[in-house]
Amino acid sequence: MFIKQSIDTLKSQLKENKLQIFSHQGELQTVGFYFNSPIAQEAITEFREINELYIPEDYEAFLLQQNGAKFHQLYLGDTNIGGGLELYSLEELSKVKQFVSTDNEFYPIGYVHENYLWIKNCVDNNKNYLYIGNTEKDPMHMNFEIFLDRFIISNGSNFWEWSKLDAEKYYKYY
């Protein structure tokens, strides 16, 4: 797994938890990053057992390194105006799950571009277990590690929708 390397490399580029990035249409933006402390393996095991959740290996590796984080929080001057990606701590996950999940088939691990990130709660060796959406959940055809790596590489863009934006649609929405 390369999740630790991706996060460590990102952190090495930050100055006071901020980064200047090249954004859409030639804009230069300041974005912020916030990382929670790691969580112990025992706490993850207990959480998994109490909540009857399948926690994939790559997502567990993230929790062991950062029990939640915020990526690409947009700044306007010195003010954090939010946005980006919020990955929940296990405590936050538990609270959010109570409000947004009606069954145990999926559980929310974060929020990105006005959508929840969901893990499909099943042990079927499906490596493509990540979904996005609110009431409707669309498959992302990837796992957590690939999603986070691509999110970092794409400077916080909604890269999963790029193939849907041909030239006509791009200029209509941007």
Side-chain angles (χ1 to χ4, degrees):
M1 283 190 291
F2 53 86
I3 196 160
K4 181 176 180 357
Q5 179 71 29
S6 296
I7 292 172
D8 287 347
T9 301
L10 170 65
K11 285 180 173 181
S12 75
Q13 300 302 303
L14 301 179
K15 292 183 173 112
E16 298 178 6
N17 288 335
K18 294 180 185 172
L19 185 65
Q20 290 279 314
I21 63 166
F22 185 77
S23 185
H24 293 285
Q25 301 175 348
E27 283 186 37
L28 190 61
Q29 295 179 329
T30 301
V31 291
F33 299 82
Y34 306 93
F35 301 95
N36 294 353
S37 299
I39 193 166
Q41 179 66 56
E42 297 79 25
I44 295 172
T45 302
E46 181 180 335
F47 182 86
R48 175 188 298 127
E49 291 170 0
I50 290 171
N51 293 283
E52 298 177 347
L53 296 178
Y54 163 68
I55 299 179
E57 185 180 357
D58 57 339
Y59 181 58
E60 184 172 309
F62 167 76
L63 294 170
L64 289 167
Q65 185 179 5
Q66 312 294 158
N67 182 25
K70 293 181 181 181
F71 293 79
H72 290 88
Q73 300 284 292
L74 188 59
Y75 274 78
L76 187 58
D78 290 333
T79 305
N80 179 346
I81 59 173
L85 167 64
E86 178 179 1
L87 295 171
Y88 304 135
S89 67
L90 286 184
E91 183 179 320
E92 292 167 326
L93 185 160
S94 186
K95 290 177 186 174
V96 172
K97 185 178 182 307
Q98 291 176 6
F99 294 105
V100 299
S101 189
T102 57
D103 58 37
N104 218 27
E105 185 179 4
F106 294 92
Y107 63 93
I109 63 165
Y111 197 75
V112 62
H113 300 296
E114 300 180 11
N115 288 285
Y116 289 101
L117 274 180
W118 302 89
I119 288 180
K120 188 168 185 178
N121 190 26
C122 66
V123 186
D124 64 1
N125 292 324
N126 179 4
K127 303 281 186 214
N128 298 309
Y129 59 77
L130 202 61
Y131 287 71
I132 192 165
N134 291 308
T135 54
E136 295 292 320
K137 296 165 188 70
D138 297 318
M140 296 189 80
H141 307 290
M142 66 185 81
N143 62 13
F144 176 77
E145 180 174 55
I146 293 171
F147 168 81
L148 187 58
D149 192 57
R150 289 179 181 173
F151 193 78
I152 292 168
I153 291 168
S154 71
N155 284 333
S157 295
N158 55 347
F159 66 87
W160 55 93
E161 292 184 356
W162 285 355
S163 64
K164 300 174 191 173
L165 289 175
D166 60 16
E168 185 176 312
K169 292 175 186 168
Y170 182 88
Y171 291 109
K172 182 178 179 180
Y173 296 110
Y174 291 103

